[in-house]
Amino acid sequence: MDIVPLFCEIDDFCNEFEPWMKAQMLTVRQRRRKSKMCLSEVMTILVLFHVLGYRNFKQFYMEYVCVHLGWAFPRLVSYNRFVELQQDALLPMCAYLKTRMGQCTGISFVDSTSLAVCHNRRIYSHRVFEEWAMRGKTSVDWFYGFKLHLVVNDEGELLNCCLTPGNVDDRVPVPELVDGLWGKIFADRGYVSQLLFETLFDQNIEFFTKPKRNMKNKLMHLLDKILSRKRAIIETIIDQLKNISQIEHSRHRSPWNFLGNLVAGLIAYTWQPTKPSLNLRPDNNLLPVLVF
């Protein structure tokens, strides 16, 4: 991947965001060590780690950035100092992620995935996330950590996301996640709820879920039935986030670096040149059918 476009866009964002952020901060007399690296350089390295598919950030920084990217980052700091700078980049990266969100196309998919922070055998000895992480259950197994809730469109672009403890029901954050969206939203069996359907219907959103085994089948439009079978697109995106962008691992030693790693992984996904898509564009014959 060419890092020049990535750095230029992040740097343009930081030039506008940093003055605003400093104006909102409280003036506290505190000694603050000035860094040789600018904020845009730190954010670029964090995103680049997830783009290149490395599994260990220390190895990536020491063996790749320091060795091969000295021409791009001439003021590199030590690894320990860079870890300290990650915390300052968390808020700007969250704001930058919002600028990378896609546009609603009228067809959206919602789902959640578990982010385990440790093995189940080490739950009682885990201390890093003991005040935030909770036990949750997926269709596969129990886990200890968080849930990442995502909404994507038919082009594979992220529309919104949020993070909750592992014991939060998948249906709870949906009204806020889909706020401002329109058209049809498809989900799996875990989102079956008459109250949720009525709430979203009041927001002019048609909500479709796969019926449970003990539920009676209801008549659906043929197009809606076809689109409900295409819900695997969001599962493909989650698979790429976990296996390519590395948003889940059990080596975190700080909640803030955990959040920074997660946000950087989501940003890295938005920079993928090709994303999972249903190819429902104006040059397709399905366009007249997709008018709501």
Side-chain angles (χ1 to χ4, degrees):
M1 176 184 179
D2 189 2
I3 67 174
V4 176
L6 174 64
F7 173 78
C8 289
E9 181 172 316
I10 293 178
D11 189 58
D12 292 340
F13 168 81
C14 291
N15 289 336
E16 297 182 4
F17 183 79
E18 272 193 289
W20 177 88
M21 182 178 65
K22 292 180 180 178
Q24 306 300 319
M25 296 176 62
L26 298 176
T27 56
V28 180
R29 292 185 177 180
Q30 181 181 0
R31 181 186 177 187
R32 192 173 185 85
R33 181 183 173 187
K34 188 176 181 180
S35 173
K36 295 189 298 182
M37 296 186 66
C38 62
L39 177 61
S40 55
E41 290 178 321
V42 176
M43 292 175 58
T44 303
I45 292 176
L46 291 175
V47 175
L48 198 61
F49 164 69
H50 297 277
V51 172
L52 298 180
Y54 273 78
R55 296 296 184 266
N56 185 284
F57 183 77
K58 184 175 183 179
Q59 180 186 10
F60 164 76
Y61 187 81
M62 299 294 293
E63 299 182 5
Y64 183 78
V65 177
C66 294
V67 176
H68 301 287
L69 296 183
W71 61 271
F73 307 102
R75 297 173 295 180
L76 288 173
V77 296
S78 65
Y79 172 75
N80 292 335
R81 175 58 177 160
F82 188 89
V83 172
E84 296 175 358
L85 297 176
Q86 292 186 49
Q87 299 184 13
D88 296 333
L90 175 58
L91 180 59
M93 282 199 303
C94 292
Y96 177 66
L97 176 61
K98 297 298 293 184
T99 66
R100 297 290 303 174
M101 294 295 179
Q103 299 294 327
C104 181
T105 60
I107 301 175
S108 307
F109 301 87
V110 61
D111 202 357
S112 67
T113 184
S114 61
L115 296 178
V117 296
C118 72
H119 193 275
N120 288 342
R121 295 179 180 178
R122 295 191 292 271
I123 292 178
Y124 293 104
S125 61
H126 189 79
R127 294 292 179 267
V128 179
F129 299 96
E130 61 180 346
E131 298 181 2
W132 298 280
M134 294 293 177
R135 287 191 179 187
K137 189 178 186 300
T138 64
S139 58
V140 179
D141 195 8
W142 290 87
F143 71 97
Y144 179 74
F146 303 90
K147 279 185 179 180
L148 176 64
H149 305 264
L150 296 173
V151 182
V152 303
N153 59 19
D154 61 286
E155 297 177 346
E157 298 175 332
L158 298 180
L159 300 180
N160 205 351
C161 62
C162 72
L163 188 70
T164 62
N167 60 348
V168 174
D169 193 295
D170 292 345
R171 295 165 289 190
V172 172
V174 171
E176 295 184 5
L177 274 175
V178 302
D179 186 28
L181 303 184
W182 55 275
K184 303 182 180 184
I185 298 179
F186 299 87
D188 60 8
R189 292 189 178 99
Y191 292 85
V192 174
S193 172
Q194 182 65 26
L195 178 61
L196 180 60
F197 174 83
E198 295 174 355
T199 302
L200 298 184
F201 188 79
D202 294 337
Q203 302 179 18
N204 297 322
I205 295 176
E206 296 183 69
F207 192 62
F208 298 90
T209 58
K210 191 174 182 179
K212 296 183 178 179
R213 293 185 177 88
N214 58 351
M215 295 176 59
K216 295 182 179 179
N217 291 327
K218 295 183 179 180
L219 293 177
M220 294 177 60
H221 194 279
L222 178 59
L223 177 62
D224 297 334
K225 192 169 185 179
I226 294 175
L227 289 175
S228 65
R229 294 178 179 178
K230 300 298 182 179
R231 197 189 56 82
I233 182 176
I234 191 171
E235 296 178 355
T236 303
I237 293 173
I238 291 174
D239 180 73
Q240 291 185 6
L241 288 172
K242 285 190 171 184
N243 296 304
I244 298 178
S245 296
Q246 291 295 304
I247 64 172
E248 181 187 31
H249 65 79
S250 59
R251 302 183 300 274
H252 295 293
R253 295 299 175 263
S254 168
W256 311 116
N257 288 347
F258 160 75
L259 294 174
N261 178 80
L262 174 60
V263 176
L266 294 174
I267 295 175
Y269 170 78
T270 64
W271 273 92
Q272 287 189 14
T274 57
K275 302 180 180 65
S277 175
L278 300 184
N279 297 320
L280 304 178
R281 297 282 56 83
D283 56 342
N284 291 61
N285 296 327
L286 284 177
L287 180 61
V289 186
L290 296 178
V291 178
F292 299 97

